[in-house]
Every structure is written in C-alpha cells, then in structure tokens.
Amino acid sequence: MKIQFDPKQPFQLAAVASITNLFQGQPQGAPEYAIITLGSMEGLFAGQNGTELGMGNRLLLAEDKLIANTRAIQSANDIEVAGLDAPLEAWELFDTPANEARRCPHFSVEMETGTGKTYVYLRTIFELSSRYGFQKFIIVVPSVAIREGVLKNIKITADHFKAIYNNLPFEHFVYDAKKVNRLRQFATSNTLQILVINIDAFRKNFTGTEAEQKSNVIYKESDKLSGRQPIEFIQAARPIVIIDEPQSVDATDKAQEAIKALNPLCTLRYSATHRNPYNLVYRLDPVRAFELKLVKQIVVASAVSEGSANDAFVRVEQIEYKKGIKAKLRIHVQTNDGPKEKLITVKNGADLFSLSDERACYAHGFSVAEINAEPGSEFIRFNNGRTLRLGEEIGGMRTDVWRTQIKHTIKKHLEKELQVREHGIKVLSLFFIDRVANYRDYDGEGQPIKGKFAEVFEAELTALAKEERYKELEWLKQPMEKLHNGYFAQDKKGVLRDTRGDTQADDEVYNLIMTKKEILLSLDEPLRFVFSHSALREGWDNPNVFQICTLNESRSAVKKRQEIGRGLRLPVDQNGFRVFDESINKLYVMANESYDEFARALQTEYEDDCGVTFGKVPLTAFAKLVQVVDGNEVPIGPETAQVIQSALVTQKMLSAEGRILPAFDPKGKDFKLDLPEEYRDLTPAVIDLLSSYQIERHIRRDKDDGPNKLKKEVTLSPEFQALWDRLKPKTTYRVEFETEVLVQRAVDGLKRMERIETPLIRVAAGQIGVKKGGVDATAVSVAEEKIEFGDHPVPDILAYLQNETELTRSTLTRILKESGRLSEFFHNPQRFLDSVAGVLKYELHRLLVDGIKYEKIDGVGSEAEWEMLLFKNEELINYLTAVQVKKSVYEYISYDSEVEREFAKRLDEREDIKLFVKLPGWFKIDTPVGTYNPDWAIVKHDDEALYLVRETKGTRDFLKLRTSEADRVRCGQKHFDALGVPFDVVVTAEQV
C-alpha cells in the first residue's frame, strides 16, 4: 500500500507560503514552460553563486525587503511582533571563502504533532528550488529515529512532489563519515541537493594535534577531498538549513556553533514545541489543530485502583546536588484521617517507613541506598533493589488493574474494527510498557517465554473472539502469535532488554518497525497489536493507531504529548487516502491514572510546551473574529476585541486574565450572552470561540462517547421517503462565461495589483583584521544596486501565462495591453508573471462559480443518486457535542457550532416542522472549488408539505462573501435549484 498525499491542504499550503513568500523580490529561475529561456546570466537567475569548491545558494534580496516581507507574513498570520522595523533575529557569520561578515536569519514554523510538519518542510524545499533556484538544503535532526522518519518521508513523497513540480530532478543522501567524498557532489551539482545529517555528526570541533583526534570527521582534512576538510564543501554551498525539532538540535552553545559552521544562508526551524521561536512566521497550535479536525479527537478511559493506598507509593519529584545530594519524594503518610499524599525531602540512608509514620507497606526495603544527581540520568535506589528515575512513580500496580486495561483496550480495538471494516481501514493498538520482561521473558535455560502481559493479552483476546458479534472479523482466525508483537532493543546475543530509547540497540529496533510502517497498514498483515518500550516514544507514529494503552507499573516520566503523538495522525484507507470521518477519527487512550489527572497533565504540557492554555482565551483570538464589510470578511481587531472581552468579564464568563468561568455554559437552561448592540451579530462566533478553548471539547472521557441509533421507523415514514426522493438525485455541472466579462474583470484586477519594483542587490565591503584571537571583519561601506533586466533574455510571457491559466494568447495579449502594467514586466519578470497569474486565476475562479450550471443525472443506482442504505445504524458520537432530538432519523444530532446546536433545538420544538435531518458527511456535492456538504434537510407543513434545504451560518450576509467556503455554498444552491428544492442560508430556526 502506498500512502497518498493531498496537495491542496489549505493549512499546509499556508505554512509553505509563509516561508517561500519571505523571499518575494528575489530574482527567480527560468519559468518551467518558457519558450525563450533566460540563459545563464552568470548564475543570477539560478539563485546560485560559483566558487572553486562548488555552487552555492545566493540571496540577492536587500535586508530591509526581507524584513518587510517577514512582517507582512506575520501580520497576515496574526503573529504579534515587537516592532515592524526591528531587525530579524539572526546569527552573525563569516563567509568561509572571503571572510565577509553577514547575518544568517532564522525563521520558525510551529505545527502541532500529526499535522504533516515533515511534509511541509519537504514541499518548501521544492517550492524554494522551483521559484528561486535555491538548490542546496541540509536537514539537521536530533536523533537517528527522527532521521529515519525524514528519509521515509522523502521516499514516500518523491513521486508526489515530482508530479507537482514537473519532475524536478533532485538527489538526497544521509551524511556518512566514511563517504565524505559525497559532499563534493553536493557542492558542485547544479541540481536540487538534500543532505540529511544528525547534529552529533558535526557537533564536535577541536583544534590541536591531540585534541583534533576527538573532532568529528567532517572537520578533518581528507585525502579523498584533495586535502580539504569536508565541512568546506558544505560551507561553499551556502545551504538553507532546516532544523527539525530545534529545541533538541541546537539547545546548547556547541550545537549552535556547529550549525553556524555550516555557513547557512538562513535557518528554517520546524517544531510543535519551540523553545525559542525566532521570527515565527506560521503557527498551527493544538487548539487550532483540534478545531480544524486535523488530528484525532482524544478519548480517555482510566483504570485506577481504589485501594492502592495499601501498597507502597513513591514518586520522584526532584533530585538536586547544589546543597548536598538529596531528593524530593511524594509518599503516603499516615494521618488521623487515613493515608495522605505528602512531599518529603530525603538524603542517603533515609527510611520511608519512619518518614511515613510507620506505614506497613514501607517496612521492608524502602531505605534509600543511593541517590544519583548526574544531570540527565538522575535516579534513586532503595535497598530492596528498586530504582526510580526522576519523574517515575510506583504505586503497587495491581494485577486486576493492568488486566482490566488490556481487556478494555482489546475490546475497544474490536469495536473499532466493526465500525471501520467497510471503509477499508486497518486498526492498530499500541501498548507502552516500562519493563520488557512483562511482555517477553526468559526461562532458566535462556529460552524466550511469554511475560505476564503477553499471557493475559492472549487469554483476553481469545475470550473476546468467542463472542458472537466479533465472529465476522476474519483476522481473528489467524494464529495468536501473528496478531501481536513486541519491538524492543536487543543485546548482542539477541536478548531483549530495557533501554532509555537512545542507544544503538534502540536504533536497530526503530529501523525494524519503520520498515514495517506501511506493511502494518495493510489488511493482509495480521499484526494488529504492538507492544513497545522506549523506542516508539519519539519519531515513530502510525496513522492507524486508534488505541494507546499505558501498562506501566510506574507512572511514566514520558510526556503525555509524546505518547498520544504516536496516534494523533488521521487514518488512511487501503488506497492510502486520508479519512476525514469524525465518527472514526478518535484516539482511545487507556491511562493508568484518572481522567482528571491525565487531562490536567496534558493541559499543563500544552501550556509549557506551546504557550497554549486550554481554558484561557487570549485577546488575539478575539481580534481574529470577523465581520462582513462590503462583501469581505474583516477581522475586528484588538480594540473591538477588548470591548468584547470586557463585556464577558462583566458577565463573569471570563476572568480578568481570560480564563473561562463556570457561568459560561451554553447548554444551561438560562444561559445568555450579551454583547454591545453593534457587535451582537458576533454572539454565536464568540460562544464557539470560548467553547474551542475548553479542553473537554477535544479530550473527553470514554463515557461521553456512545452509539447514535438510527430510527428505522422514521426512515420508513412517508415524510422521509418524500424528502429523500427530492434530495437523492445527483447532478453534473458545466461552466459558461463570456470572454468579454473575463477581460474586463482581469483588467480591473491588474490595475489594482501591487506595483512590481526592481530588485535591489546589497553590496557590503568589509575590512579584515588579524588579531591574536583570530580573524575578524568590520563593515566599512554598504551600497545598493538595482538589477536591470532590459538587456538580458526574458521569458515568454504569453507561454507562461497560457500554461498557468489555459487562456488563449489573444485574450492574454488584450488583458495585458488594457491593464497598462506591461512595462513593469521588465522590473522583475518572474514576480510580474506570478502576480499576473494570481490575479487571472482569482478572476477565473469567480467566473467559474458565477457561471456554473447543474443538471440532474438520469438513471438509477449509486452513479445517479445517493442511496439511503448509507444511513448507518448506531453511529458512534460524542454526547458532549450532540443534542438529543425527537424529529430526526437519529436519536442525537452532532453539531459543530453553537448556531447549529440552537438551530436543531428550536426546530425540534416547532409544531410545523415534521422532520429534519443533519445531512451526513458522505452527502457531498461536486463543485469547481471542492466538495460541498450541505447542513439541513427539512420537512415543513404549512398548509402543504414543503421540502427545504438550509445552511446555518453566523451571518445571513454569508453568500455575499468571496471566500472558497462561500463559493461552495453558492454552487450547492445551484445544485438544489436544479432539483427544485428551495435553498437558503439562515442564522436561526425562526428564519425557516
């Protein structure tokens, strides 16, 4: 099976554009389809600069233009900056060949786990190469696990990117200290080069005869490279350096110096958890990712022993050495009201039996034998041999607890299999364990035997497989040993062992499961249950992991975000396509702690790692709310946001710090939110905004999910049959428009287009000084020169625009002449072409929607009509985002907004509404701008039966907008016009 990639995901395109648009104004490469090519022009248009060591990237953009581009992108993406004219955060570098001082700017992109961060930066590489001619890129990774993930992504996206970028040739390779001569090809090649390297491969650089032996090979002179150091060839390439997980890559001074040694043109930093988000240009935080449904929803079940206070409980909170080696532990202390949790400080020799006020569970073996305070490997050891690392916990995990966890995880897996089997989706479950021996042990002769987790797993799966409802799952007939497996590090004799996750043995097991990543997605592969130790906690994920179970005897120090990250990605079917069905896309987490503890810990991690707090609404979020002004959506801005926030604080729905208070309860019987009169139309949007910041919206208890039964008696009723007969025909569309209208709109659009200016080259001169501390450079003059294009070959403007728009040469000639902008073509040819193409595509897009005509498809069957059989019995839903109704085909109706919830509730109360249906996600109408899923189908009795379709939005002016969403709704309106079904956009049920 091959995973398919959607090239039109808006959030990914926005992330790519946020980087590529930084270089607007940089002279660009020869257009792909130009009949008249640009020629070499001494490398100017290739974005390359030649030296005796090879070809290097070349930035010709003046720094003030780069700053202006950056601020414009940040403003468009609602990222606040201190000053619009402030310099970019950058490193001071010296070009290796000329020792010329220059600045290396950093740009950061924040993307939540599971949203395609690697895909985005790989596509950015291709975009920068095709648009600007940049050819040399280095991807720096923190670990072998991440490196292998990057290589896997390059492999599976290669054909995808070739299709998008017209078979743009490229080469990629991993730095290998034994094959340093490959760097010569990296430097000298004039095709796109992608080098993947681990930070450890070039972090060490020492000088001196003896110390030099400790340096990385990359800094040592090599006979294979004519006596040159390998690093020199990288420096000559002036690479654009992409840092994957910068908080792990360049968190130290040595690592930063190592990256500076690469002589980067700039660094692009990608992470979900930036420590230092230098020049942040794009942010997709967890709240936004959940709201856009780009990751699975999280459903938490918990298995906690109520009688755990009978067992010894110890949690290692802190280990320090500055004022003597000591540890802070959390234990149970006996009080008059029973055992209570308490934080205590202990030194070597301390006895927990005494410190707990002589609780019997600490009587044997809980004296402190050793405290290790070495940073990164802190632990405490008791005289019973038990060792706990910093952050770990023991609490006497009882057999009935982990047996229950295993049973319920298997049961959820089987239920998910039943739910998705007709969708062609393979279901995987992932078990995290802290001791390999619990899954795979060895007998006295060293032969492998099943551990207690494996034995219980097989027993529980065997018992559940006998139940009648699961007998239709064919894979259950496979031998048991083929259905589950463990991925653990091994020693040289092949014995499995516990590791930290960063050893050579971990690398090997990581490679093993990476090679099976796609195989695991195939229904032909019986393996469905994966057990792992530390190797899978970072760098590996599989989109079809639907259940994660934590079977740790101690509370894991691994972060919740890391564990759930292994299963957050949206699943794929057997054809490799992503599945966007919300009823399917749920990650079930079986935790060994209460829901409240899990949610609190996860929320804290989001706040610490991302600066995002569920339950706290920032002022910038209100400022992004939009109102319709002259047919455009316009953000209300910070001043209006302050007015709205103050109104909510006055009504005690928000605290002064922006935290949501109990008074905000949209489901409450007497709930009412009052905004000032001029902003009252924003009420639904404000309610939805506050709801999106409630953690319960995205991380839910298991008990909040359940079946939504189909009312078969309703589907058989005359009202529904008549309604469905009106709705079920499918249509096809064609588009008609007048060339004269297109020309006039295009001319008007080009006249409004931003002026195309001549690019500037900055020329800097520096004075070199030789001192005891080394060579330095001081800038003595800076000048700027305009690039003149008139005397050089230029691209064929008509050929390029014809390829981009499919308009005739005569139409294009007329548009360009009448626009009066043609002279600007010679200021910057490629930028002019791209700007004109953008205007033309926008106007064509508008005409396609305005001129669309739908016709009903004749015939019967699935090609001509939607089948009622698609309404499934017992669809799984989230009760927290559903409203119970009487007059629909399901017991509950799921809603996406407060407008939808209130609409359904009011319709259900009206006597003249006999039946209404929230149209399912599979009911999609084709349009030129994507598919459209309408909201509501309604049967209303007003002297006679009326069959209606209604779309609910926050404003009745929605159809006046020129957005892609509004265009899809307009197309949907014409589809229903062709069927003779009245269609309208409404805000409330009273408008029906």
Side-chain angles (χ1 to χ4, degrees):
M1 191 197 71
K2 189 172 183 180
I3 296 177
Q4 306 296 319
F5 296 90
D6 182 358
K8 298 180 180 178
Q9 293 274 24
F11 70 97
Q12 291 179 342
L13 293 178
V16 173
S18 295
I19 293 295
T20 56
N21 289 344
L22 291 168
F23 303 99
Q24 284 283 5
Q26 165 86 0
Q28 302 181 10
E32 219 171 313
Y33 299 96
I35 294 175
I36 303 173
T37 64
L38 289 169
S40 65
M41 290 191 63
E42 299 177 351
L44 178 65
F45 283 90
Q48 296 278 295
N49 185 42
T51 69
E52 71 274 15
L53 294 180
M55 300 292 293
N57 291 327
R58 187 180 185 189
L59 183 62
L60 298 172
L61 200 63
E63 186 169 352
D64 57 350
K65 178 60 176 172
L66 188 61
I67 293 173
N69 288 346
T70 303
R71 301 309 178 213
I73 292 165
Q74 290 172 324
S75 175
N77 290 337
D78 298 307
I79 295 169
E80 295 181 346
V81 292
L84 295 180
D85 298 323
L88 299 175
E89 294 172 286
W91 284 332
E92 294 294 333
L93 298 181
F94 292 90
D95 283 348
T96 302
N99 283 323
E100 177 187 289
R102 66 177 183 84
R103 286 165 56 80
C104 166
H106 311 294
F107 301 102
S108 299
V109 171
E110 178 185 317
M111 295 187 71
E112 173 61 353
T113 301
T115 58
K117 166 177 61 73
T118 308
Y119 172 91
V120 164
Y121 70 63
L122 290 177
R123 182 159 181 176
T124 300
I125 288 174
F126 282 88
E127 192 71 23
L128 289 171
S129 178
S130 63
R131 284 180 62 177
Y132 303 110
F134 297 133
Q135 300 289 57
K136 308 300 168 66
F137 295 85
I138 295 180
I139 302 171
V140 184
V141 297
S143 66
V144 172
I146 303 291
R147 186 193 72 194
E148 293 303 310
V150 173
L151 293 174
K152 184 72 174 181
N153 271 277
I154 293 175
K155 180 181 178 181
I156 64 179
T157 57
D159 291 340
H160 171 76
F161 289 135
K162 284 179 180 178
I164 295 175
Y165 295 99
N166 195 37
N167 285 314
L168 179 69
F170 78 97
E171 296 175 335
H172 78 280
F173 66 102
V174 174
Y175 170 77
D176 186 343
K178 297 177 182 178
K179 300 176 182 179
V180 292
N181 55 329
R182 178 63 178 83
L183 295 178
R184 188 196 299 272
Q185 183 180 340
F186 175 78
T188 58
S189 175
N190 60 1
T191 60
L192 174 57
Q193 298 284 308
I194 303 172
L195 165 60
V196 184
I197 187 169
N198 192 313
I199 183 65
D200 289 334
F202 65 105
R203 197 198 319 254
K204 295 179 181 179
N205 182 18
F206 302 96
T207 57
T209 307
E210 294 183 12
E212 197 174 76
Q213 300 303 317
K214 300 179 182 179
S215 294
N216 289 121
V217 171
I218 203 168
Y219 297 109
K220 298 177 181 178
E221 294 178 356
S222 171
D223 292 338
K224 296 179 181 178
L225 298 173
S226 306
R228 296 276 194 171
Q229 297 175 5
I231 191 71
E232 292 182 64
F233 290 88
I234 291 179
Q235 291 168 341
R238 288 284 296 278
I240 292 177
V241 173
I242 292 171
I243 305 180
D244 193 328
E245 306 296 356
Q247 73 279 2
S248 300
V249 169
D250 67 352
T252 66
D253 292 341
K254 283 186 178 180
Q256 291 179 16
E257 288 301 319
I259 293 175
K260 288 180 186 180
L262 299 176
N263 192 30
L265 190 77
C266 65
T267 68
L268 309 179
R269 311 163 70 85
Y270 291 81
S271 178
T273 55
H274 287 282
R275 235 176 240 160
N276 297 301
Y278 302 114
N279 300 315
L280 184 66
V281 293
Y282 181 79
R283 173 185 285 139
L284 179 63
D285 62 33
V287 173
R288 184 74 175 146
F290 279 121
E291 277 299 287
L292 293 176
K293 299 178 175 61
L294 302 177
V295 293
K296 297 190 186 95
Q297 288 184 324
I298 302 169
V299 179
V300 180
S302 58
V304 181
S305 174
E306 297 296 331
S308 59
N310 294 314
D311 303 312
F313 165 73
V314 183
R315 180 189 299 157
V316 184
E317 296 282 6
Q318 185 178 345
I319 295 178
E320 56 185 40
Y321 59 89
K322 291 183 179 179
K323 295 182 179 180
I325 296 178
K326 53 189 175 182
K328 290 186 177 180
L329 307 179
R330 200 170 287 277
I331 66 171
H332 285 155
V333 176
Q334 190 65 36
T335 71
N336 293 333
D337 299 321
K340 298 292 183 183
E341 204 172 284
K342 182 181 179 181
L343 186 67
I344 62 171
T345 300
V346 299
K347 295 182 179 180
N348 211 31
D351 185 5
L352 298 194
F353 176 66
S354 173
L355 293 171
S356 66
D357 201 12
E358 300 186 349
R359 296 202 67 241
C361 56
Y362 297 106
H364 302 289
F366 278 95
S367 292
V368 178
E370 181 183 0
I371 302 177
N372 187 340
E374 182 183 347
S377 59
E378 301 97 328
F379 67 83
I380 184 169
R381 182 170 60 84
F382 297 100
N383 61 4
N384 61 8
R386 190 65 192 243
T387 299
L388 291 178
R389 294 184 181 277
L390 180 63
E392 287 188 340
E393 165 189 318
I394 59 170
M397 183 183 184
R398 290 176 11 185
T399 300
D400 55 349
V401 174
W402 56 259
R403 181 183 286 273
T404 299
Q405 286 184 270
I406 291 173
K407 178 179 179 179
H408 279 269
T409 302
I410 296 172
K411 190 173 182 181
K412 283 294 182 180
H413 181 110
L414 298 178
E415 290 173 356
K416 180 64 72 172
E417 292 269 6
L418 293 177
Q419 182 191 4
V420 304
R421 67 187 188 280
E422 293 181 7
H423 296 271
I425 298 173
K426 171 78 171 289
V427 179
L428 298 173
S429 289
L430 178 58
F431 294 85
F432 282 119
I433 65 176
D434 58 354
R435 295 179 62 218
V436 172
N438 284 337
Y439 179 76
R440 182 85 34 86
D441 209 345
Y442 296 88
D443 60 21
E445 298 178 357
Q447 297 300 310
I449 58 175
K450 296 171 186 174
K452 61 182 182 180
F453 287 168
E455 288 181 342
V456 169
F457 171 83
E458 291 191 356
E460 295 294 347
L461 180 57
T462 300
L464 285 167
K466 294 177 181 178
E467 294 188 13
E468 189 66 32
R469 64 186 307 226
Y470 302 131
K471 287 187 176 179
E472 54 194 276
L473 299 176
E474 290 295 322
W475 59 268
L476 281 173
K477 299 174 184 177
Q478 295 272 359
M480 186 64 67
E481 62 271 13
K482 289 187 176 183
L483 302 181
H484 67 105
N485 201 0
Y487 291 87
F488 310 107
Q490 304 179 24
D491 61 21
K492 293 181 179 179
K493 296 180 181 180
V495 176
L496 305 178
R497 56 194 178 90
D498 299 332
T499 58
R500 300 187 308 272
D502 56 3
T503 66
Q504 178 64 35
D506 285 302
D507 294 344
E508 291 167 359
V509 70
Y510 183 83
N511 292 335
L512 173 64
I513 194 164
M514 278 300 295
T515 60
K516 297 202 72 172
K517 184 172 181 177
E518 288 172 278
I519 297 175
L520 280 172
L521 293 170
S522 171
L523 290 171
D524 296 329
E525 166 58 53
L527 178 60
R528 280 165 165 78
F529 301 91
V530 176
F531 288 77
S532 182
H533 193 243
S534 55
L536 298 190
R537 285 176 179 162
E538 184 183 66
W540 182 89
D541 58 63
N542 194 296
N544 287 20
V545 169
F546 286 95
Q547 291 76 225
I548 291 179
C549 179
T550 305
L551 291 174
N552 293 343
E553 289 190 284
S554 62
R555 298 284 174 87
S556 173
V558 174
K559 289 189 173 184
K560 301 286 183 290
R561 293 193 68 214
Q562 285 182 310
E563 290 195 340
I564 65 172
R566 307 290 70 82
L568 275 181
R569 289 188 187 275
L570 299 183
V572 296
D573 60 21
Q574 290 302 288
N575 295 317
F577 290 101
R578 295 283 173 192
V579 176
F580 294 94
D581 189 333
E582 294 172 47
S583 67
I584 291 173
N585 296 341
K586 296 175 183 178
L587 177 63
Y588 175 86
V589 179
M590 171 53 77
N592 58 349
E593 59 194 309
S594 71
Y595 166 81
D596 291 332
E597 288 177 311
F598 183 94
R600 192 184 309 116
L602 184 59
Q603 182 167 336
T604 300
E605 288 173 20
Y606 277 128
E607 185 168 358
D608 293 343
D609 294 342
C610 311
V612 171
T613 307
F614 287 99
K616 184 177 180 181
V617 188
L619 186 66
T620 53
F622 289 107
K624 294 177 187 177
L625 295 173
V626 296
Q627 287 184 305
V628 180
V629 179
D630 297 329
N632 295 308
E633 289 184 325
V634 179
I636 63 173
E639 292 183 6
T640 302
Q642 187 68 63
V643 173
I644 291 175
Q645 188 184 60
S646 299
L648 295 172
V649 171
T650 301
Q651 296 170 64
K652 297 185 178 179
M653 294 188 186
L654 283 184
S655 69
E657 296 79 28
R659 290 195 176 273
I660 300 173
L661 299 175
F664 177 74
D665 180 16
K667 296 179 182 178
K669 185 177 180 181
D670 300 319
F671 173 79
K672 187 178 182 183
L673 190 151
D674 285 322
L675 295 180
E677 180 65 34
E678 61 270 36
Y679 308 122
R680 198 151 289 168
D681 60 318
L682 290 172
T683 300
V686 170
I687 293 174
D688 289 337
L689 175 65
L690 267 61
S691 298
S692 72
Y693 277 84
Q694 291 180 303
I695 196 167
E696 297 82 3
R697 176 89 165 252
H698 314 293
I699 303 161
R700 306 190 310 273
R701 301 174 196 269
D702 179 36
K703 66 181 182 181
D704 293 328
D705 273 17
N708 189 17
K709 294 182 180 179
L710 179 69
K711 300 177 184 176
K712 293 184 178 178
E713 69 278 8
V714 175
T715 63
L716 297 175
S717 67
E719 288 88 356
F720 181 79
Q721 292 290 340
L723 175 65
W724 193 244
D725 285 343
R726 294 290 190 96
L727 299 180
K728 69 182 180 181
K730 294 183 179 179
T731 58
T732 184
Y733 68 81
R734 55 190 173 88
V735 177
E736 297 177 352
F737 63 84
E738 296 290 336
T739 302
E740 195 64 36
V741 176
L742 169 63
V743 170
Q744 192 55 52
R745 286 191 181 183
V747 167
D748 292 342
L750 291 182
K751 287 181 177 179
R752 295 191 301 269
M753 184 176 71
E754 182 183 356
R755 179 174 173 77
I756 307 299
E757 301 289 353
T758 301
L760 298 175
I761 296 180
R762 171 163 290 191
V763 180
Q767 180 174 311
I768 302 297
V770 180
K771 302 177 181 178
K772 289 182 179 180
V775 178
D776 65 0
T778 304
V780 295
S781 67
V782 178
E784 290 181 341
E785 296 284 342
K786 288 187 176 181
I787 301 173
E788 299 294 341
F789 292 91
D791 299 330
H792 298 286
V794 293
D796 185 331
I797 185 171
L798 295 180
Y800 186 89
L801 293 176
Q802 192 172 16
N803 176 72
E804 291 290 308
T805 64
E806 298 184 358
L807 296 176
T808 65
R809 294 174 75 91
S810 60
T811 300
L812 289 169
T813 301
R814 185 179 166 194
I815 291 171
L816 290 169
K817 284 183 176 180
E818 294 184 16
S819 71
R821 304 292 298 273
L822 192 54
S823 61
E824 295 171 34
F825 170 64
F826 297 100
H827 293 175
N828 189 333
Q830 189 61 41
R831 189 174 180 197
F832 180 86
L833 290 174
D834 288 339
S835 298
V836 170
V839 171
L840 295 180
K841 287 177 182 177
Y842 173 76
E843 296 302 338
L844 270 171
H845 173 105
R846 289 181 57 193
L847 283 173
L848 286 176
V849 173
D850 294 344
I852 196 168
K853 293 187 178 180
Y854 282 86
E855 294 177 355
K856 188 163 67 171
I857 299 175
D858 294 329
V860 295
S862 60
E863 295 298 322
E865 58 188 31
W866 279 283
E867 298 176 350
M868 197 170 71
L869 292 173
L870 291 171
F871 283 95
K872 299 291 184 182
N873 189 32
E874 293 193 2
E875 289 280 352
L876 291 176
I877 60 154
N878 169 24
Y879 293 142
L880 294 179
T881 54
V883 57
Q884 192 167 13
V885 294
K886 300 175 183 177
K887 299 178 180 178
S888 192
V889 294
Y890 286 108
E891 289 184 347
Y892 291 85
I893 286 180
S894 294
Y895 57 84
D896 295 323
S897 66
E898 178 61 20
V899 169
E900 287 189 357
R901 188 189 74 84
E902 189 66 16
F903 186 83
K905 181 181 174 184
R906 297 302 179 201
L907 280 187
D908 206 44
E909 295 170 350
R910 280 178 49 174
E911 293 184 1
D912 58 338
I913 302 298
K914 301 303 179 184
L915 174 70
F916 64 100
V917 180
K918 181 82 183 312
L919 289 168
W922 48 260
F923 192 100
K924 293 179 179 178
I925 298 164
D926 288 328
T927 82
V929 288
T931 57
Y932 166 58
N933 174 218
D935 278 343
W936 308 93
I938 303 167
V939 179
K940 177 184 176 184
H941 277 222
D942 188 7
D943 294 331
E944 60 177 331
L946 301 176
Y947 305 97
L948 316 168
V949 173
R950 293 294 181 264
E951 181 76 19
T952 42
K953 294 296 178 186
T955 172
R956 290 208 72 175
D957 293 332
F958 181 79
L959 286 177
K960 295 179 182 178
L961 297 175
R962 296 306 314 200
T963 63
S964 58
E965 184 183 6
D967 285 341
R968 287 194 293 271
V969 175
R970 269 190 287 275
C971 291
Q973 183 176 31
K974 294 185 179 182
H975 161 87
F976 287 111
D977 287 345
L979 301 184
V981 178
F983 178 97
D984 198 4
V985 173
V986 297
V987 178
T988 66
E990 286 68 31
Q991 294 167 349
V992 174

